[in-house]
Amino acid sequence: MSKPEIKPIPIKIHPRLTSGRFNNVRVGMVVLTQLAFFGMPWLQWNGRQAVHFNLAEHHFLIFGISLWPQDFIYLAALLVVSALGLFLWTTLAGRLWCGYSCPQTVYTQIMIWIERAIQGDHNARRKLDASPMSVGKFAKKGATQAVMAAFSLWTGLTFVGYFTPMRELATLQMGPWDLFWTLFYGGFTWLMAGLLREKVCLHMCPYARFQGSMFDDHTLVISYDAKRGEPRGKTQAKSEAQTKGCVDCGICVQVCPTGIDIRNGLQYECIGCAACIDACDQVMDKLKSPRGLIRYTSAEALQGKPAKSGPSFHRPRIVIYSCLLAGIITLSTTALVLKKPFKVDVLRDRASLVEQSDDGLLQNRYSLRVINTTEQAQRYVVTVEGLPGIRMEKPGQVIEVDPAQTETVPVRVQVEPESAPRGSHRIHFVIRSLNDDVSIREKSSFIGE
């Protein structure tokens, strides 16, 4: 038996335009993700940017939820949920993330649309690449790169808009770091999606290398039905079984964004975009043959075992992933709902450990840092306890903090000398919100003399 001819992969892949149900989903995901990415920084919430990661003040605002460095646990939970969700989805249905939602896939698709709009279809682009340099070629190539660069800069500006107010950036009120990150992120968008494209998926993405370890015989992946499709060719015998097989048109390879032939079996280069399914289904429709020569299926079904209507959920790894995912989401959501509406940090004045007031009382100085995590102005009152007769220098002092802001207030705590002998004594500050009657106890120490 002669070995199949191995065709070299071209330096630049120009995928053929396809259409169909899976292509509609991909286009929908491109539109949905970009509407979210480009639109989110423009949304306002209570007079402020709805999503704003203020790194300078260590303060994150997400649609009214105010998060501070002390809330890092929620970011950790989000990362764990994202990882477990990816593992669960991959085990169930393969690389759907890569094919439909990965930023590399989304932006590569956008760059291909720009290239197609200026240079023409896949055949026209190949001819243009092969032709010698001319004024026309230079103009088309230059216009393509200019539009790609403009889109990439817009992407970079939007990315920076999550950290610096977008309405300031829109009026070009940006500092040197804003400009640097706009150019940096925009440059990498142009490099990864405009130039490298599928090479990122083939050679740089680690997920492509280890995703196969999460597959099993029940995982839904894009597969070619060799039992039905082989032998290939248009000159097959006219039996009913063979007229439903592969006619070796090669369109499934032409539409593949990574340039692979799915008929050679599952390959790590496959990103699961299903372009080959749409292309093959169109050919089958023209031949009046049933669809599904290339389809989402499992290895178990291809082996002739009874096919199931969907992915099997009764597998140990699916149960484990699902339980962990549900548990972390439940705990994180519960903690977020029950989170106190304000935070307090107590800092001792190290410059003056203990002093004596005019009326003979021992006195320690502190700074109370009150963080209002709500979207309404709040009023707080502070008391202290832990030693006999201990009190604030100004009892009943009210601290007012604006929405999602921080207020640092100096306070003095006083006590009779006989109630605080030499050494350190444990005390507690009690900060109570006058708006919703919620209290927080923060421990500190009082230095006696």
Side-chain angles (χ1 to χ4, degrees):
M1 180 182 295
S2 60
K3 294 183 179 180
E5 180 184 357
I6 301 177
K7 298 180 180 180
I9 297 177
I11 296 176
K12 184 174 183 180
I13 297 174
H14 293 288
R16 177 174 177 170
L17 178 65
T18 185
S19 60
R21 48 183 176 158
F22 295 109
N23 181 71
N24 294 337
V25 175
R26 288 197 306 278
V27 172
M29 288 303 299
V30 170
V31 174
L32 180 63
T33 55
Q34 297 317 290
L35 282 177
F37 175 73
F38 287 105
M40 205 84 73
W42 294 97
L43 296 180
Q44 296 291 298
W45 189 279
N46 288 338
R48 295 190 303 275
Q49 190 166 306
V51 180
H52 184 208
F53 306 122
N54 191 337
L55 297 180
E57 298 180 5
H58 311 291
H59 183 201
F60 293 175
L61 280 171
I62 307 174
F63 291 101
I65 300 175
S66 184
L67 300 176
W68 299 84
Q70 300 92 323
D71 300 313
F72 181 80
I73 185 66
Y74 297 109
L75 174 60
L78 176 62
L79 295 177
V80 172
V81 167
S82 299
L84 287 175
L86 181 61
F87 296 162
L88 173 62
W89 195 250
T90 301
T91 305
L92 286 172
R95 297 181 64 178
L96 293 187
W97 161 258
C98 295
Y100 296 91
S101 302
C102 175
Q104 177 64 27
T105 301
V106 169
Y107 287 117
T108 296
Q109 185 66 54
I110 293 174
M111 296 302 187
I112 291 175
W113 288 344
I114 293 173
E115 201 172 64
R116 182 182 291 123
I118 297 174
Q119 300 180 18
D121 63 14
H122 62 292
N123 288 324
R125 298 199 299 277
R126 288 197 188 98
K127 291 180 181 178
L128 186 64
D129 285 350
S131 65
M133 181 56 68
S134 63
V135 175
K137 179 176 180 177
F138 181 81
K140 288 185 177 181
K141 291 287 186 178
T144 301
Q145 296 303 318
V147 175
M148 288 182 179
F151 174 78
S152 299
L153 286 175
W154 183 27
T155 303
L157 187 68
T158 301
F159 174 77
V160 174
Y162 283 90
F163 303 91
T164 300
M166 190 66 198
R167 294 174 186 268
E168 294 181 10
L169 296 177
T171 57
L172 300 181
Q173 299 178 24
M174 60 173 64
W177 280 111
D178 297 329
L179 179 61
F180 169 79
W181 286 111
T182 297
L183 296 175
F184 182 86
Y185 190 86
F188 264 86
T189 300
W190 173 77
L191 175 65
M192 296 293 192
L195 294 183
L196 298 180
R197 295 188 183 176
E198 75 285 343
K199 295 177 180 62
V200 175
C201 303
L202 299 180
H203 307 298
M204 299 172 63
C205 178
Y207 181 61
R209 301 292 178 175
F210 70 77
Q211 47 89 21
S213 64
M214 290 179 278
F215 289 0
D216 58 29
D217 289 343
H218 300 276
T219 302
L220 291 180
V221 294
I222 297 175
S223 302
Y224 166 69
D225 191 345
K227 290 183 179 179
R228 170 184 161 183
E230 301 298 326
R232 308 173 195 171
K234 302 178 181 179
T235 59
Q236 297 173 348
K238 299 297 183 179
S239 68
E240 181 181 356
Q242 289 178 328
T243 55
K244 296 179 181 179
C246 176
V247 296
D248 202 19
C249 62
I251 297 179
C252 58
V253 181
Q254 296 173 27
V255 300
C256 180
T258 58
I260 66 171
D261 189 342
I262 193 63
R263 296 171 296 180
N264 294 334
L266 181 62
Q267 300 149 71
Y268 81 87
E269 298 94 339
C270 176
I271 62 173
C273 67
C276 55
I277 297 180
D278 283 335
C280 187
D281 284 347
Q282 290 178 356
V283 173
M284 292 296 105
D285 290 344
K286 292 179 180 179
L287 297 175
K288 298 183 179 179
S289 297
R291 293 184 170 190
L293 181 60
I294 302 175
R295 63 185 184 274
Y296 276 109
T297 187
S298 64
E300 187 180 55
L302 284 177
Q303 293 169 5
K305 297 180 180 179
K308 299 178 181 179
S309 57
S312 174
F313 292 89
H314 305 290
R315 288 178 273 167
R317 68 175 69 186
I318 296 298
V319 174
I320 293 173
Y321 288 153
S322 300
C323 291
L324 289 174
L325 201 57
I328 295 174
I329 292 176
T330 301
L331 290 175
S332 302
T333 303
T334 303
L336 191 60
V337 171
L338 298 179
K339 186 168 69 77
K340 297 284 188 178
F342 65 98
K343 300 179 183 295
V344 179
D345 292 328
V346 180
L347 304 175
R348 285 189 52 83
D349 186 349
R350 300 295 181 182
S352 175
L353 295 181
V354 60
E355 58 188 14
Q356 195 168 36
S357 65
D358 295 338
D359 50 3
L361 299 177
L362 294 183
Q363 182 173 269
N364 284 193
R365 299 184 182 186
Y366 304 84
S367 291
L368 298 185
R369 184 169 178 260
V370 184
I371 305 171
N372 180 8
T373 63
T374 69
E375 292 297 307
Q376 295 80 34
Q378 298 285 334
R379 301 168 69 246
Y380 309 95
V381 65
V382 183
T383 57
V384 63
E385 57 187 37
L387 290 173
I390 193 170
R391 65 182 179 85
M392 306 289 295
E393 181 190 34
K394 299 178 181 179
Q397 178 181 359
V398 176
I399 302 173
E400 298 184 1
V401 185
D402 292 332
Q405 296 297 317
T406 301
E407 191 75 26
T408 301
V409 181
V411 298
R412 298 180 181 181
V413 176
Q414 299 175 336
V415 69
E416 296 286 348
E418 59 271 16
S419 298
R422 182 180 298 273
S424 177
H425 306 274
R426 175 67 59 86
I427 63 173
H428 288 87
F429 287 90
V430 180
I431 301 89
R432 181 170 61 89
S433 171
L434 298 177
N435 296 69
D436 46 25
D437 200 27
V438 175
S439 298
I440 290 180
R441 283 169 55 89
E442 283 291 324
K443 65 180 180 180
S444 188
S445 60
F446 187 93
I447 305 299
E449 184 178 54

